[in-house]
Amino acid sequence: MYGEQDIASIADPFRKEVRDYLSILPSKYPGCSKPKLVAYLCSTDASAEQYAKFTQKACEKDGIQFDLRVIPRTDLEDQLILSNLDSTVHGVLVYYPIFKGMMDGYLQDVVSMEKDVEGMNTRCRYNLYHNIRYIDDDKTMKCVLPCTAIAIVKIIDGLGQYDDKKQIGAQLSGKVVTIINRSEIVGRPLAAMLCNDGAFVYSFDENGCIIFQKGKVKGTIKMVESETTLQQAIQDSHIVVTGVPSPVFKVKSEYIKDGTVVINFAGYKNVDDDVAKRTRYVSSIGRVTIAMLERNLLRLFDNHLRSSSPSPSP
């Protein structure tokens, strides 16, 4: 059905899984504390503050301990190290950007992989780009994936774009996707994940178009420079994902085919106002992103418990 899509129905089952998982902890692990997420906010950015409030409200409602710490950015590295060493902390979240550029990349690696709820540590990213789904040889402890990118994947799946009759790795085969964002936090990992699931992906940023395809070596992604224009890519696409805080990349609705799934994940609206009339339009993904954040935290918490004894999977 065309129009604005209800993503609450996509987010709610994941949050119920979180509540169900936490409800069995007292009987499975007497005396075990509930998972604790520590979030660091180092700016006065209004959108980051709002997201932090939404996250805290959701976590507290679902039974997760949420500790928001507002600190100067120059103190962040020390605080991240202390959180890594704190056995009562099970997940760490940082509201980026902090310094921007390479320094932020360094800070992402300061966060221990065992507590990286955002999946931005170098080893997490390596696993993502090589389609490695577990962090142990026995394949009992699952990797976490970047919250916003995996939220978009779940929305695409929830809107019926995956073909469950096909084998894993091919469930998006035949689908063409255009992503207007190639950031390391959202656009690039999203392109890799959709490519790993069989999609043909056009990725755009200010430097042009790159096509993401499965590589010849198993588990790798091949990127190919392309002269394809944004208009051409969109007209060819079944799914369009956009999230750029700039009018330069605003998509004209006339470029988009009827029935296309269109997802706008940035605060800035990158599509014409009438786009929902002919498409399945998602204007905000925050609910699902928070659900994926909770899911990642439980995965880290579950991995921690598995290191000493078996436990139910989230």
Side-chain angles (χ1 to χ4, degrees):
M1 182 181 295
Y2 296 172
E4 180 81 27
Q5 303 297 296
D6 176 21
I7 63 167
S9 61
I10 298 173
D12 289 349
F14 289 106
R15 291 183 60 186
K16 183 178 183 301
E17 285 183 15
V18 170
R19 293 191 295 271
D20 289 346
Y21 176 85
L22 294 179
S23 69
I24 67 172
L25 279 180
S27 58
K28 290 286 185 179
Y29 301 98
C32 178
S33 63
K34 291 183 178 180
K36 180 178 180 179
L37 175 62
V38 172
Y40 289 102
L41 180 63
C42 303
S43 74
T44 56
D45 179 73
S47 60
E49 291 178 348
Q50 184 179 43
Y51 181 47
K53 289 178 181 178
F54 286 152
T55 306
Q56 182 170 15
K57 182 178 180 180
C59 286
E60 290 176 349
K61 182 176 181 179
D62 292 336
I64 292 171
Q65 300 180 74
F66 183 87
D67 183 357
L68 177 62
R69 301 177 183 179
V70 181
I71 63 171
R73 64 181 183 171
T74 50
D75 291 344
L76 181 59
E77 181 179 7
D78 288 347
Q79 291 301 311
L80 292 177
I81 293 171
L82 291 174
S83 289
N84 288 341
L85 298 172
D86 188 343
S87 62
T88 69
V89 175
H90 304 103
V92 173
L93 168 66
V94 178
Y95 294 101
Y96 292 100
I98 305 300
F99 296 96
K100 298 184 180 180
M102 292 182 66
M103 186 62 185
D104 280 11
Y106 166 74
L107 290 170
Q108 288 166 350
D109 276 343
V110 172
V111 179
S112 166
M113 182 181 178
E114 288 73 23
K115 299 188 180 186
D116 180 12
V117 77
E118 298 173 281
M120 296 308 300
N121 180 281
T122 294
R123 187 179 170 194
C124 292
R125 286 182 286 171
Y126 178 90
N127 288 351
L128 185 157
Y129 291 122
H130 291 81
N131 205 17
I132 298 170
R133 305 198 176 199
Y134 295 88
I135 63 174
D136 64 325
D137 293 336
D138 293 332
K139 296 184 178 180
T140 62
M141 297 189 289
K142 294 181 179 180
C143 300
V144 300
L145 297 167
C147 302
T148 303
I150 190 61
I152 295 170
V153 170
K154 295 302 182 183
I155 290 170
I156 291 172
D157 185 20
L159 295 180
Q161 299 303 295
Y162 277 70
D163 186 347
D164 294 336
K165 295 179 181 178
K166 296 180 180 178
Q167 64 181 3
I168 292 175
Q171 293 177 330
L172 283 178
S173 59
K175 296 290 185 181
V176 178
V177 183
T178 293
I179 303 172
I180 310 169
N181 178 294
R182 201 156 58 237
S183 70
E184 296 299 329
I185 295 176
V186 185
R188 190 183 297 272
L190 175 62
M193 282 189 271
L194 296 178
C195 178
N196 281 334
D197 289 338
F200 183 93
V201 181
Y202 292 109
S203 170
F204 285 87
D205 69 1
E206 67 273 12
N207 296 312
C209 177
I210 292 179
I211 293 172
F212 280 65
Q213 298 173 297
K214 287 189 176 182
K216 292 181 180 180
V217 178
K218 184 179 179 181
T220 62
I221 300 294
K222 181 175 178 58
M223 296 185 292
V224 180
E225 299 278 3
S226 174
E227 297 299 321
T228 304
T229 67
L230 182 58
Q231 180 178 348
Q232 290 170 335
I234 291 173
Q235 290 174 334
D236 194 33
S237 294
H238 305 92
I239 302 164
V240 175
V241 181
T242 181
V244 182
S246 167
V248 174
F249 285 94
K250 190 162 187 176
V251 177
K252 294 182 179 180
S253 61
E254 63 194 64
Y255 295 169
I256 304 171
K257 295 187 297 187
D258 289 359
T260 299
V261 170
V262 179
I263 301 172
N264 190 102
F265 69 84
Y268 186 91
K269 190 173 183 180
N270 292 133
V271 293
D272 285 341
D273 292 337
D274 63 346
V275 71
K277 294 178 181 179
R278 298 186 298 102
T279 69
R280 303 180 69 188
Y281 178 55
V282 178
S283 63
S284 174
I285 67 167
R287 284 175 180 246
V288 185
T289 302
I290 291 173
M292 292 301 103
L293 178 71
E294 293 187 350
R295 182 172 178 259
N296 278 357
L297 178 66
L298 257 65
R299 187 160 286 181
L300 295 175
F301 185 68
D302 190 69
N303 289 347
H304 170 71
L305 294 178
R306 283 180 183 276
S307 66
S308 55
S309 61
S311 71
S313 296

